[in-house]
Amino acid sequence: MEQRSAIGGREKYIFEEAPIPRAVRVMAAPTVITQLINIIYNYADTWFVGRTQDPAMVAALGVSFPLFVLLAAVANLFGIGGSSVISRSLGMKDPEKARRVFAFCFWGGMAAALFYMLVMALFGSSVILYIGGDENSYPYIRQYIFWTIIVGAVPTVGNVLCGHLVRSVGASRQAGIGMSMGGLLNIALDPLFMFVILPAGYEVEGAAIATLISNCAAFVYFLIFFARHREEPVFDINIRHVSFSDHIPADVLVIGVPAALQTTLAMVSNMAANALVKGYGTEAVTGLGVAKKINMIAFNTCMGVTMGVLPLIGYNFGSGNFARMKKIIRFTGLSVFSFGCCCTLIFELFDSRLISFFISEPVSVACGAQMLSVLAYAAPLAAVTYMVNVVFQATGHKTESFILSVLRKGVLDVSGMFILKPVMGVMGVMAATPVAEVLSAALAAVLYIRLIRGLGREKGAAA
């Protein structure tokens, strides 16, 4: 009866009994839809700004993007870490710990968002010059950062964080509604603020304000959702119930830190690429920004699928149902790898057409097409690494998750850019990404095999 009160009957069925394809579909589909809508609204920003035919404005979005996405790292610190602990606690029939983890993660995320906002308010102007900004794009970057980070840090973090936490108890559909709503609202508000409310020359600022409003709306949705479900035993955002006992901070952060590092180092990689490409001109930076956004289709979709099944894996690991857990992993892994292969083929065949959809300036299109044709090969192997890393996050294997998170982008990708650039020029900066993915996927496979063999020994010992 205690477990029945912790999660609903439908969620319990999905976690424990539903056929694997259905369970994965129910948990992953809303997350994937959310990721795709977020991609579309990022595309909308670039597409609408691209109508100005001003490479400096388009470059500003590309340079600003890593700083904005660092807010997602803050959300992942407490969201993925919390989701792992909550789902495992429910699997172990301990809803009381799940409730206390929920409150700790919510308010921890709010505090971290305020800290990042303060850092960017004090040092943002200096940071711009080190991440690819120049005299042409600087004022636009500054506008974007002000509205989306300095003013918008709390609702942006709150939106993503609440999505993770709500999904951890099996309410994937409700999490998807909140996060998708923000993306759809952003798409609708972009042209209104960029071309109607604000005068010409303020298109980047208009895009930033639209992003701020949409994230505020999504965050309010989740706050209302919690208020309406305050009788539920796990949903608890009362600050007085924040707990530092029972190893809760450590349990959350040992998984959350690698998850945040994965996002942070991906953005460090983007910043390094922008800085290294900047010497080839604004058009090259513009092409890079557009190519990266197109590549997000593959990366974010695979990430959405794997993030969606994290609670499924964590719950079955916590309950000791390793056979079901491994079936979920195999089915999901094959699905995301196949999707990554399809994306590689499409990006290779239609590179120039895809780039020119966002900007028609010839030099930027040529640069972006060349970059996309190289980046495309990273998608299938990145899907494998995402899947394995989520397995480690869901099961609480912090060391393996930390190794994969740091090695993939922080060591292999960034160092590869500096090594390959003198040899291959700007294409060397791009080639570092697929090379890093090959090496990361190989290591991920080794670590995963070791984990599965360890589970087999655990089960044998228990028997």
Side-chain angles (χ1 to χ4, degrees), residues 223-343:
L223 295 179
I224 294 172
F225 177 81
F226 294 146
R228 289 181 174 177
H229 294 81
R230 57 181 174 271
E231 300 303 322
E232 297 288 337
V234 178
F235 298 148
D236 188 349
I237 60 171
N238 189 328
I239 194 170
R240 292 178 296 178
H241 296 163
V242 172
S243 175
F244 296 91
S245 62
D246 199 18
H247 306 289
I248 285 176
D251 288 347
V252 170
L253 296 178
V254 294
I255 299 302
V257 168
L261 276 175
Q262 179 173 285
T263 304
T264 302
L265 292 174
M267 293 306 101
V268 169
S269 170
N270 279 352
M271 292 176 189
N274 284 330
L276 290 171
V277 169
K278 183 171 71 171
Y280 295 90
T282 301
E283 292 81 5
V285 176
T286 301
L288 173 62
V290 175
K292 289 277 189 179
K293 284 183 181 291
I294 293 171
N295 208 36
M296 284 171 58
I297 294 174
F299 279 55
N300 284 41
T301 302
C302 294
M303 188 185 304
V305 173
T306 56
M307 285 170 51
V309 300
L310 187 153
L312 277 176
I313 297 170
Y315 183 95
N316 284 281
F317 178 81
S319 66
N321 193 347
F322 299 149
R324 181 172 175 82
M325 184 192 79
K326 287 188 283 187
K327 290 178 182 178
I328 292 167
I329 294 168
R330 286 196 294 268
F331 178 82
T332 309
L334 180 61
S335 298
V336 294
F337 178 77
S338 300
F339 179 79
C341 290
C342 292
C343 288

Side-chain angles (χ1 to χ4, degrees), residues 119-143:
V119 169
M120 291 306 300
L122 294 175
F123 305 108
S125 297
S126 301
V127 169
I128 290 171
L129 300 176
Y130 291 98
I131 60 171
D134 57 22
E135 64 276 7
N136 295 320
S137 59
Y138 177 90
Y140 303 121
I141 297 171
R142 190 73 184 122
Q143 291 171 0

